[in-house]
Amino acid sequence: MSKNYYCCLQHHLKLFCAVLILCYGFYAPQKAYADHAPLGASLAKTVTGTIVDEQTGKPLPGAGIVVKGSNKSTTSDENGNYSISVPDDNAVLVFKYISYITQEIPVGNRTRINVSLKSNATDLSQVVVIGYGSQNKKDVTGAVKSLKSEEFNKGIITSPQQLLQGKVSGVNVTSASGEPGSVTGISIRGPGGVRSGSTPLFVIDGLPLDNSNTGMGDPLSFINPQDIESIDVLKDASATAIYGSRGANGVIIITTKKGKSGASTLSASASTGYSTLARALPVLTADEFRIEVPKAGGVLDDKGGNTDWQKEATRTARTDNYNLSLSGGADKLSYFASAGVQLQQGIIKKNDLDRFSGRFNATQKFWEDRIVIEMNIDAANTKQTRPPLTSVLADALINNPTYPAKDANGNPIYYQNITNPYLYFELDKEITTTNRVIGSISPSVKIIKGLVYKLNLGVDYSTATRDLENLPNAVPFREGRLESFYNINKNTLIENYLTYNWVQGRHNLSALAGHSYQRIYVQQRNYSINRFLVGDIDPIYNPGVGQDLTLANNRPGGFAFINELQSFFGRVTYQFNDRYLITANFRADGSSKFGANNKYGYFPSFSAGWKISEEEFMKNSIFSNLKLRAGFGVTGNQEIPPKITQALFTSLGSAGYPLYPTGSYPAGTTYSRLANPDIQWETSKQTDIGLDFGLFKGTLTGTIDAFHKQSKNILLQVIPADPVQPAAEVWSNVKDMTITNKGLEVELDYRHKSESGFGYNIGANFTYLKNKVQNSPYSVIPAGSVSGAGITSSTINGYINNEPIGTFFLKEFTGFDAAGMSTYRDLDGDGLITDKDRISAGTALPNKIYSFYAGANYKGFDISINFNGVSGNKTYDYTQNVSFSKLRLAKNVNSTREGFASPEESLNNATPVSTRYLKSGAFLRLNNASIGYSLNTRDLGINKWFSTIRFSITGQNLFVITDYNGYDPEVNIDRSINGVSSYGIDFFSYPKARSIIFGLNFSF
């Protein structure tokens, strides 16, 4: 497909130009008939009036007023007043305001028209973004949740996933690390693959991302959360099948803010936040250490200090956030521009994340709105600086607290037998700088009434440089090393599609058909150099000062690959009498990852809805909305390495063959992998039945969904059945293996506003999820490995038949014997404790996910509060397992009291992986709470300069209720094996922070 890529681009541009010419020819003759005012029409005049909110009566400054069919427009002033000239009495005025329903009012013989605009922020009037289009929420037949910017989580946000945490049923967002910019895990209705993990497809302003991590941290951290207008979550297959092969884990569509015609706004915001360690691990203080080491049987090594090493390694971190946006437009042009800066310190010293972002988009209309051109461009620069975090945390927890960290002059003290974390801060650092640009242009043409052609051209281009520097040092001695990685990721998209809408009486039909081509290019190069002189030259800026370039230690490396995806897609929606709804989607995806026999996968879906509340027998009921919907669909997964379906050859000099009487043997070339053209798409089939309801005129709304999702043809590395196959493992589809997710989702929201102006809302959502692996060819597919003294290569969890993903596969700890040694359950009764005695001891996946929230507002005051939690899951405390024990305490290594809590335990007892360190991971967290006050600029007499001024204070991660005694129960350190995802393992995880943020927002 790559050979035809640029020809394909030229072809589509020519096609677009041809359509423009055709459209011009179709409409040009109409220009011959100019509009003439009828005889007797009145002359031009001026119309004035006031625009207010229908419910509160407050004026709406910046509202747009347009004379329909002309370029004449104006906006209302700070008091809602307007004045506009109209050509005659036949003129029609169009009144627009953000988040309000547009009104069209004929002028007639009036010269003053006062307008009351009605808010369109009701649940049913929300516009939900779906694949390649949008619908009113009341007409959606799939399981879709739309979240607007005012509903987002508040606080220090580094990735869009955090905005969703606890806000959408069926969606589990895991902030597994407290490090700024770290990867935020997210799954929709549970994981369904072995290698593919649970990450959904992200679509930014119509451009599907490939989820590649160009540098370090979260692949979405480049997006400024202040620029996001809405996030739409497509959960079931009837909604996601339009994205075919990439919709198996759900789809999240992010729509950024756009300008609005008739309203020009300059907005700015600034905030400063302070973060501290939320929960320190309760290791022994120096005084406690002096008592417990001799009791454990050790000889105390006391240096007379009283050091809290966790305090030495952490700090009160500051985060500054500044944003500026400019938006507006006239009747034919709208625009939005923004710039943002976020400077975030991590609570561990020398750990920072700086992000600079800019965005611009514009929409221009031509030819009486028959041509619309939309353009988006987003650029971001992020710089992440970090010390070796695992080493810093490990030493901060286990270091002898009687050792002073600094001398009398405040200089760090370095020792031979322990490592002062300040040594890492001075000598070691990792710097990742990522530059990313996303741009798209989307022209569309209205060919005939109801028929629109759209071309979407998009590019996502990013580069990253990652430097790992270990400076040389005299005491303790180190040679020093610099390792550099250079990454390029280019994602290019070309789409053409036609949309047709037809309305006739009680019939409403919409049809979509299109073609998509996406090309993803990924490249990495890496170099290294050893042995630097101790001096003032930083090797990052001059690697040439390194003295060791031997290939044994510094062999260059790298890789590159191209993935291509060609798709054909379509959708038909039909409504009868505004109460019976049918939707059908289809997509065919062809991927370069698969062999010739199964290159294409086919993904259909069907759904239907019944607006029961629109029936005559429901007219006088308490239901303002009652809709039953059901859907079924198939989605796919192609997450396998590139080129694995192709044959692989290896040339070895040692495998040469004598072709000539004299001279060296030429290298011999052999197969190391045979071609596999039969491997095919992993598929996921999902059924969903849902009920949407609203009671008491929409003040109480809710949704109930029951779903069943099953993945088949699982892509997996297996031992080849063919004895000729030279590879030890090959990729294949395991035909009978399935991964099933089924569950129930419930959402409720109640909103009330009194005549006095006091309003409040409360709501909650709950998800019950059951996950099961069946018919796996292995007794266990290892997923979480660990290493350390005596436990290297031990498996913690994996994929086990008839158990959920992430099940912990461990020996069952039963206590201590008479000698103080650990005992374990002898499952097979053979008198020996082996791997055959391991049991399924619970899963890292929660089976219950819930959240609840509340908010209130009165006059200028507003307050909101959000809780979220999970239960039914386990967490393996590998930090406790490998670091804290009676034996290590006796050797002057610090410990928590849990490490030596059993007096009967022998000093020489081993601590292998077992259920002894498996703990409940359930928690309830106060995610964020915010209180704000908006000044009445009119009463203060400053409304000529400021339309809004708002002050706020936000608390984030204020407390967590849990039985887990590690830093935080919400953890998942990546301990994957051969790309098989691990779950729920805590190993020196970066601790979470508790933050207080002070904010100021104002607009002109």
Side-chain angles (χ1 to χ4, degrees):
M1 285 185 276
S2 58
K3 294 181 179 179
N4 299 322
Y5 172 67
Y6 294 103
C7 293
C8 182
L9 175 61
Q10 295 176 358
H11 171 74
H12 288 296
L13 290 175
K14 291 178 180 178
L15 176 62
F16 175 65
C17 294
V19 171
L20 291 183
I21 295 172
L22 178 64
C23 184
Y24 178 77
F26 183 86
Y27 285 108
Q30 297 180 10
K31 295 297 181 182
Y33 302 97
D35 292 332
H36 297 282
L39 295 176
S42 59
L43 300 177
K45 62 182 178 181
T46 299
V47 177
T48 61
T50 303
I51 305 174
V52 299
D53 181 284
E54 182 182 75
Q55 187 172 3
T56 65
K58 291 183 177 181
L60 298 178
I65 306 95
V66 179
V67 178
K68 187 175 182 179
S70 75
N71 293 325
K72 290 185 178 180
S73 64
T74 187
T75 58
S76 59
D77 63 16
E78 63 274 10
N79 298 316
N81 297 322
Y82 74 92
S83 177
I84 190 170
S85 176
V86 299
D88 52 49
D89 290 349
N90 297 321
V92 176
L93 293 180
V94 182
F95 297 88
K96 301 179 181 179
Y97 197 69
I98 300 172
S99 299
Y100 284 76
I101 298 174
T102 298
Q103 283 193 35
E104 295 187 4
I105 301 177
V107 172
N109 58 4
R110 293 176 292 179
T111 58
R112 183 169 182 82
I113 300 177
N114 294 326
V115 180
S116 298
L117 293 182
K118 183 178 181 180
S119 173
N120 68 354
T122 61
D123 187 62
L124 293 179
S125 62
Q126 285 186 3
V127 175
V128 176
V129 179
I130 56 177
Y132 305 99
S134 61
Q135 284 183 302
N136 284 333
K137 184 176 180 179
K138 64 180 181 178
D139 299 327
V140 173
T141 55
V144 180
K145 173 69 173 183
S146 182
L147 211 63
K148 305 304 180 184
S149 57
E150 59 269 17
E151 302 173 272
F152 292 161
N153 283 320
K154 299 175 176 64
I156 299 174
I157 305 295
T158 57
S159 64
Q161 301 95 307
Q162 295 170 293
L163 300 172
L164 289 175
Q165 190 168 35
K167 294 291 186 178
V168 183
S169 63
V171 177
N172 188 22
V173 178
T174 306
S175 299
S177 170
E179 181 185 2
S182 62
V183 175
T184 301
I186 182 169
S187 66
I188 299 176
R189 294 184 169 179
V194 176
R195 277 186 54 92
S196 59
S198 60
T199 304
L201 171 69
F202 291 96
V203 181
I204 313 294
D205 288 329
L207 177 64
L209 306 185
D210 69 329
N211 290 339
S212 291
N213 196 345
T214 304
M216 287 289 290
D218 195 282
L220 296 184
S221 61
F222 74 97
I223 301 177
N224 184 353
Q226 295 289 330
D227 288 342
I228 298 176
E229 178 68 28
S230 65
I231 300 178
D232 295 86
V233 183
L234 314 186
K235 296 190 284 188
D236 71 334
S238 66
T240 63
I242 193 69
Y243 288 104
S245 65
R246 293 166 295 175
N249 290 325
V251 179
I252 294 180
I253 302 177
I254 297 176
T255 304
T256 58
K257 294 178 179 177
K258 304 290 191 295
K260 304 293 192 300
S261 298
S264 298
T265 304
L266 176 64
S267 300
S269 66
S271 67
T272 297
Y274 297 93
S275 304
T276 57
L277 178 63
R279 297 201 319 170
L281 283 191
V283 294
L284 299 176
T285 65
D287 291 338
E288 293 170 335
F289 189 80
R290 293 183 175 100
I291 296 172
E292 297 298 339
V293 170
K295 288 173 61 176
V299 178
L300 180 64
D301 179 13
D302 191 347
K303 292 294 189 291
N306 186 7
T307 304
D308 183 344
W309 288 105
Q310 290 183 86
K311 187 175 181 180
E312 295 294 333
T314 59
R315 63 184 172 183
T316 298
R318 176 171 173 170
T319 298
D320 294 317
N321 203 321
Y322 308 98
N323 293 279
L324 181 69
S325 67
L326 177 66
S327 66
D331 185 37
K332 302 294 183 181
L333 171 67
S334 61
Y335 61 89
F336 176 89
S338 71
V341 177
Q342 180 166 302
L343 309 174
Q344 183 178 1
Q345 294 179 336
I347 58 173
I348 294 179
K349 295 174 180 176
K350 299 292 184 178
N351 177 212
D352 302 282
L353 176 69
D354 298 336
R355 179 179 64 206
F356 301 87
S357 62
R359 177 179 295 275
F360 177 79
N361 62 62
T363 301
Q364 177 70 61
K365 299 177 181 179
F366 300 95
W367 287 3
E368 297 181 348
D369 299 349
R370 294 186 178 97
I371 295 180
V372 179
I373 298 179
E374 297 174 295
M375 182 186 72
N376 291 277
I377 187 167
D378 178 22
N381 168 270
T382 58
K383 181 179 180 181
Q384 185 179 40
T385 306
R386 63 204 302 258
L389 294 171
T390 300
S391 299
V392 169
L393 285 167
D395 289 318
L397 291 174
I398 67 175
N399 275 355
N400 186 330
T402 69
Y403 277 50
K406 297 179 180 179
D407 60 22
N409 296 321
N411 298 315
I413 304 174
Y414 300 123
Y415 305 93
Q416 292 293 336
N417 56 331
I418 72 167
T419 303
N420 189 331
Y422 284 99
L423 184 68
Y424 298 122
F425 298 146
E426 290 187 4
L427 301 180
D428 301 318
K429 63 180 176 181
E430 177 181 339
I431 300 176
T432 303
T433 303
T434 305
N435 296 301
R436 190 165 186 175
V437 177
I438 293 182
S440 66
I441 183 168
S442 303
S444 61
V445 179
K446 185 188 296 182
I447 300 175
I448 59 175
K449 182 180 179 181
L451 181 62
V452 177
Y453 162 76
K454 188 167 187 177
L455 170 66
N456 185 21
L457 300 175
V459 175
D460 176 6
Y461 183 78
S462 60
T463 61
T465 301
R466 179 178 171 225
D467 293 309
L468 288 85
E469 180 182 73
N470 308 111
L471 294 177
N473 196 54
V475 180
F477 175 74
R478 297 170 27 157
E479 286 191 336
R481 176 176 173 83
L482 174 66
E483 190 170 9
S484 298
F485 298 82
Y486 303 92
N487 299 271
I488 297 174
N489 188 314
K490 186 177 181 181
N491 173 7
T492 308
L493 177 74
I494 304 175
E495 291 181 326
N496 295 273
Y497 55 96
L498 291 166
T499 305
Y500 180 69
N501 293 293
W502 176 77
V503 179
Q504 183 69 43
R506 295 183 294 179
H507 304 280
N508 188 327
L509 176 70
S510 177
L512 167 76
H515 169 267
S516 175
Y517 172 79
Q518 192 163 14
R519 181 179 187 268
I520 298 167
Y521 170 77
V522 177
Q523 179 187 2
Q524 181 185 99
R525 296 192 300 264
N526 61 279
Y527 311 92
S528 63
I529 187 169
N530 282 356
R531 195 180 302 153
F532 294 91
L533 296 176
V534 177
D536 296 331
I537 299 178
D538 193 325
I540 285 180
Y541 304 111
N542 185 8
V545 299
Q547 301 176 33
D548 181 4
L549 285 172
T550 58
L551 288 181
N553 296 322
N554 300 286
R555 183 178 296 275
F559 62 85
F561 61 82
I562 295 173
N563 291 332
E564 295 175 286
L565 193 70
Q566 177 171 258
S567 309
F568 302 90
F569 56 88
R571 178 176 59 230
V572 175
T573 63
Y574 173 71
Q575 297 183 32
F576 176 72
N577 204 21
D578 197 32
R579 64 189 66 173
Y580 308 112
L581 317 170
I582 297 176
T583 302
N585 291 283
F586 181 79
R587 185 169 180 125
D589 279 330
S591 173
S592 60
K593 288 186 176 183
F594 293 102
N597 295 346
N598 289 295
K599 190 171 291 292
Y600 277 85
Y602 305 97
F603 309 103
S605 75
F606 307 92
S607 58
W610 176 24
K611 297 181 186 178
I612 305 173
S613 54
E614 297 298 319
E615 299 289 353
E616 289 297 327
F617 62 83
M618 293 290 291
K619 290 301 183 182
N620 297 319
S621 71
I622 62 172
F623 289 96
S624 56
N625 174 49
L626 186 62
K627 180 175 67 176
L628 178 66
R629 49 186 169 76
F632 170 81
V634 180
T635 51
N637 170 34
Q638 58 157 349
E639 294 308 316
I640 56 175
K643 303 179 182 179
I644 61 96
T645 61
Q646 303 174 23
L648 181 65
F649 304 91
T650 301
S651 295
L652 295 173
S654 60
Y657 188 82
L659 298 178
Y660 307 102
T662 60
S664 60
Y665 293 173
T669 301
T670 61
Y671 276 106
S672 57
R673 182 181 65 218
L674 300 180
N676 184 6
D678 295 322
I679 193 170
Q680 59 184 288
W681 298 80
E682 184 176 294
T683 58
S684 176
K685 297 180 179 180
Q686 186 173 172
T687 303
D688 183 278
I689 298 176
L691 183 70
D692 302 330
F693 58 88
L695 294 87
F696 316 120
K697 298 183 179 180
T699 56
L700 175 64
T701 59
T703 297
I704 301 174
D705 275 276
F707 63 90
H708 183 279
K709 179 173 71 171
Q710 186 175 77
S711 299
K712 295 183 177 181
N713 285 335
I714 302 298
L715 292 166
L716 192 64
Q717 276 183 297
V718 299
I719 299 172
D722 185 353
V724 182
Q725 172 64 257
E729 290 184 320
V730 296
W731 282 93
S732 180
N733 294 100
V734 183
K735 299 293 183 183
D736 297 325
M737 183 178 177
T738 62
I739 299 175
T740 303
N741 289 278
K742 57 183 178 180
L744 181 70
E745 300 169 351
V746 179
E747 293 188 6
L748 291 172
D749 183 86
Y750 179 78
R751 298 176 181 271
H752 177 75
K753 191 163 188 176
S754 65
E755 294 182 359
S756 64
F758 175 74
Y760 66 91
N761 70 292
I762 56 174
N765 64 66
F766 171 82
T767 303
Y768 172 76
L769 177 66
K770 186 175 182 179
N771 179 280
K772 183 182 286 189
V773 177
Q774 293 175 295
N775 300 320
S776 169
Y778 301 106
S779 58
V780 57
I781 302 173
S785 69
V786 295
S787 59
I791 54 176
T792 299
S793 300
S794 296
T795 298
I796 291 182
N797 62 11
Y799 294 69
I800 303 171
N801 276 322
N802 300 314
E803 299 290 343
I805 287 177
T807 290
F808 294 98
F809 194 55
L810 306 167
K811 298 174 185 176
E812 184 177 4
F813 176 72
T814 56
F816 304 97
D817 60 17
M821 308 302 285
S822 296
T823 60
Y824 304 94
R825 180 184 171 193
D826 185 4
L827 187 64
D828 58 9
D830 64 357
L832 300 173
I833 301 301
T834 66
D835 281 345
K836 294 181 180 179
D837 296 310
R838 291 182 178 238
I839 65 167
S840 300
T843 176
L845 297 184
N847 58 15
K848 300 178 185 67
I849 308 168
Y850 60 92
S851 70
F852 49 93
Y853 55 88
N857 59 84
Y858 180 68
K859 294 186 177 180
F861 288 97
D862 62 85
I863 186 171
S864 65
I865 189 167
N866 293 274
F867 291 86
N868 71 283
V870 299
S871 65
N873 59 308
K874 301 285 188 180
T875 298
Y876 193 84
D877 192 350
Y878 183 50
T879 302
Q880 177 74 36
N881 187 176
V882 76
S883 301
F884 306 135
S885 66
K886 183 181 292 187
L887 176 61
R888 289 173 62 81
L889 178 63
K891 294 180 178 181
N892 286 275
V893 174
N894 206 355
S895 174
T896 60
R897 291 193 175 275
E898 181 183 350
F900 56 92
S902 302
E904 70 273 24
E905 183 178 7
S906 169
L907 188 65
N908 298 316
N909 184 43
T911 57
V913 169
S914 73
T915 58
R916 180 180 180 182
Y917 305 102
L918 188 63
K919 305 173 182 179
S920 171
F923 67 87
L924 171 64
R925 188 190 309 277
L926 177 50
N927 192 313
N928 59 86
S930 179
I931 185 170
Y933 180 71
S934 299
L935 296 178
N936 189 322
T937 57
R938 183 177 182 182
D939 290 348
L940 293 174
I942 57 174
N943 53 327
K944 292 183 179 180
W945 298 279
F946 297 95
S947 58
T948 61
I949 299 177
R950 182 178 185 272
F951 301 92
S952 64
I953 301 176
T954 300
Q956 190 174 13
N957 190 29
L958 294 178
F959 68 79
V960 59
I961 301 173
T962 181
D963 292 333
Y964 187 68
N965 55 3
Y967 275 131
D968 196 276
E970 192 177 21
V971 293
N972 183 25
I973 294 298
D974 183 11
R975 306 296 297 183
S976 59
I977 302 174
N978 295 326
V980 179
S981 304
S982 61
Y983 297 88
I985 299 175
D986 185 1
F987 181 58
F988 297 117
S989 300
Y990 196 115
K992 296 284 178 61
R994 180 181 296 114
S995 305
I996 300 294
I997 304 101
F998 303 90
L1000 170 65
N1001 298 67
F1002 54 90
S1003 59
F1004 304 94

